[in-house]
Amino acid sequence: MIELLRVEPGTKAGISTRDPRDTLGFGDKQAAKRQLAQIHARLETLHGRLYAESRHSVLVVLQGLDASGKDGVIRSVATGLNPQGCRVVSFKAPTSTELAHDYLWRVHAALPARGEIGIFNRSHYEDVVAVRMLELAPKAVWRRRPAHIREWERMLSDEGTTIVKVFLNVSKAKQRQRLQERVDNPEKRWKFRLDDLDVLKRRDDYVTAWEEVVNETSSDWAPWYVVPADRNWVKSLAVASLLLRELERLDPKFPPAQPGVEGLKIKP
Ligand code: AMP
Ligand code: MG
C-alpha cells in the first residue's frame, strides 16, 4: 500500500485529489499500534547495523502545511532509534549568517553522517515554497531552485545517502481543528503564530506551490511520498514503514572483526 504514496518521477502528485483520511489498509488504531511496535524493533536492529557499518546514511525529509503533524511523526518514528546515530534538525527562517551563504549551505551541514539516520523537520524545500509564498526573493530565484535541488540530491544519493521525502497531506478541516486546539490549549499555545492564519487563508496557493515543487523534484534517487495526515496513527505508521523499507534495502551488515579477535580469550 505504501508504494501507492510514491510520486512516480515524471507524473503528477495530485496532492489535492488524494484523501487525507485514507487508512492505507492499516486497519484500526489498535492494530497500527502493534504494527508500529514491530517496526520499531526492526528499525532498532537495522539502525544498529547501519551505525556499525558506517557506509550509508538515510535522510527523511518531512514537509507539510502547518499542523500537518510533522513534530508528532518525528516523536513517534524516532522513539525507537538510538539517539547516538540519529540526527533531527528543524529548519526555521534562516538567520543572517545563513542568509549570507547559498541556501543549501545550512542544509548540507545538517546532513546525517555515514551510519546515521537524519530527520529534517522542514528543509531546503522551504527555500522554494516559503520563499515563493512569502515573496522573499524574486520568481527567477526560487524558480531555478528545484533544478539545483534535483542535482544536489543526486550527488548525495551517489555518495551514499538514501533520501526519502514525505509530504504530510492534511485536510483543511483537520488543519483548522488542530490550529484551534493550539489556541485553546495553554500547553500548545506557544506553537501558534498569528501568521498561521494567513497560511490557512492561502492554503490553496500553498498546496499548488507544493504540488509544483514535488512534481519537479520527485526523482528515482530521491522520491516524494504523499502521506495522508489527518490520522496520527496512519502517518506515523506510514513514515516508519517507509524508513524501514529503505533500511531493509540497504541491508547493512556488522563489519568483520579485526583479525585475531575471533575466538580470543581475554586473560584475567
Ligand atoms: P515552525 O516549523 O512552525 O517552527 O515554523 C518554522 C517557520 O520557518 C515556518 O514559518 C517556515 O515557513 C519558516 N522557514 C523555514 N525555512 C525557511 C526558509 N528557508 N525560508 C523562509 N522561511 C523558512
Ligand atoms: Mg508553526
Side-chain angles (χ1 to χ4, degrees), residues 63 66-67 70-71 90-94 99 103 106 121-131 134 136 145 182 190-191 193 195-196 199 206:
Q63 288 282 176
D66 288 324
K70 298 183 286 295
D71 297 350
S90 291
F91 289 96
K92 309 283 180 190
L99 283 173
Y103 67 98
R106 66 170 181 168
N121 183 348
R122 303 186 190 266
S123 66
H124 44 300
Y125 285 95
E126 296 293 348
D127 294 290
V128 182
V129 176
V131 167
L134 303 173
L136 301 174
R145 290 184 172 174
R182 282 190 190 169
W190 64 274
K191 273 196 181 193
R193 316 287 317 160
D195 298 351
D196 293 347
V199 178
Y206 270 90

Side-chain angles (χ1 to χ4, degrees), residues 73-240:
V73 165
I74 293 172
R75 209 180 313 124
S76 94
V77 172
T79 288
L81 303 176
N82 180 350
Q84 179 140 265
C86 185
R87 208 165 170 205
V88 180
V89 183
S90 291
F91 289 96
K92 309 283 180 190
T95 63
S96 56
T97 307
E98 288 165 350
L99 283 173
H101 294 267
D102 71 87
Y103 67 98
L104 290 174
W105 179 74
R106 66 170 181 168
V107 189
H108 211 141
L111 288 170
R114 296 185 203 285
E116 290 181 343
I117 293 175
I119 303 178
F120 280 180
N121 183 348
R122 303 186 190 266
S123 66
H124 44 300
Y125 285 95
E126 296 293 348
D127 294 290
V128 182
V129 176
V131 167
R132 168 178 176 172
M133 297 307 294
L134 303 173
E135 298 183 24
L136 301 174
K139 180 172 181 181
V141 170
W142 56 259
R143 192 65 206 84
R144 63 193 178 205
R145 290 184 172 174
H148 305 152
I149 290 173
R150 275 178 70 88
E151 290 310 309
W152 182 69
E153 290 175 347
R154 189 205 293 267
M155 180 279 286
L156 298 178
S157 159
D158 287 348
E159 294 290 319
T161 301
T162 296
I163 305 172
V164 181
K165 299 182 294 195
V166 172
F167 182 80
L168 296 177
N169 186 26
V170 68
S171 68
K172 185 167 192 176
K174 194 72 185 180
Q175 207 188 356
R176 192 187 286 124
Q177 183 196 329
R178 289 192 187 138
L179 288 170
Q180 186 65 56
E181 277 166 24
R182 282 190 190 169
V183 173
D184 297 344
N185 181 343
E187 291 187 3
K188 291 189 178 172
R189 207 169 287 151
W190 64 274
K191 273 196 181 193
F192 190 87
R193 316 287 317 160
L194 287 170
D195 298 351
D196 293 347
L197 293 177
D198 298 330
V199 178
L200 190 64
K201 220 182 281 164
R202 300 172 67 207
R203 186 180 190 280
D204 291 349
D205 295 337
Y206 270 90
V207 173
T208 302
W210 278 110
E211 172 77 26
E212 287 181 20
V213 76
V214 165
N215 292 343
E216 263 189 283
T217 57
S218 202
S219 57
D220 288 327
W221 55 90
W224 276 101
Y225 295 85
V226 179
V227 168
D230 276 18
R231 292 179 163 92
N232 290 331
W233 55 272
V234 173
K235 65 184 172 227
S236 292
L237 192 50
V239 175

